[in-house]
Amino acid sequence: MVPAEPDCLISERGGAHKALAAARFIERHTATRRFEVPPVAAHLSTAIAVAEGHADADGGEGVGMTVAMNVALAAAYGTEVLFTTDRRFRMTGPLTGHEAFRLLPDDL
């Protein structure tokens, strides 16, 4: 789990207090090992390469480092399934050999 994604979604839709409550929820579950928050330093080069490769996407807006880091982490974990409503993942595609990302909840 990458805390930036739920924080962004919850902040936009429910406000700062709900986003902070979600962060505490994640914190509790990482402490009990129900969730894992991965270290990102080892994946930074891959994320930068993804961002560079998509710098002209979306009319020159690019995909950004949050999306790029999630693409890199998905590859590291061997998955194409992501919990996000960020449609920029449709521009990138997974690095795992899968045809496309499955974005939840949209692709349920």
Side-chain angles (χ1 to χ4, degrees):
M1 166 169 291
V2 179
E5 283 296 316
D7 179 71
C8 181
L9 292 172
I10 296 167
S11 292
E12 287 177 2
R13 295 177 182 179
H17 292 287
K18 287 185 180 180
L20 289 169
R24 289 292 185 193
F25 177 83
I26 292 168
E27 178 185 45
R28 284 193 307 277
H29 283 80
T30 56
T32 61
R33 300 183 148 259
R34 286 192 68 199
F35 293 162
E36 182 178 348
V37 178
V40 297
H43 309 289
L44 188 56
S45 294
T46 302
I48 291 170
V50 168
E52 288 174 338
H54 294 86
D56 294 326
D58 200 19
E61 294 290 320
V63 295
M65 282 302 294
T66 299
V67 169
M69 183 57 76
N70 283 318
V71 170
L73 289 170
Y77 282 85
T79 188
E80 82 289 359
V81 181
L82 300 171
F83 177 72
T84 183
T85 58
D86 190 334
R87 301 209 184 279
R88 292 177 294 174
F89 287 98
R90 304 270 189 223
M91 292 182 237
T92 62
L95 304 176
T96 57
H98 294 91
E99 185 175 320
F101 280 115
R102 282 188 47 220
L103 305 182
L104 303 179
D106 288 352
D107 294 342
L108 283 176

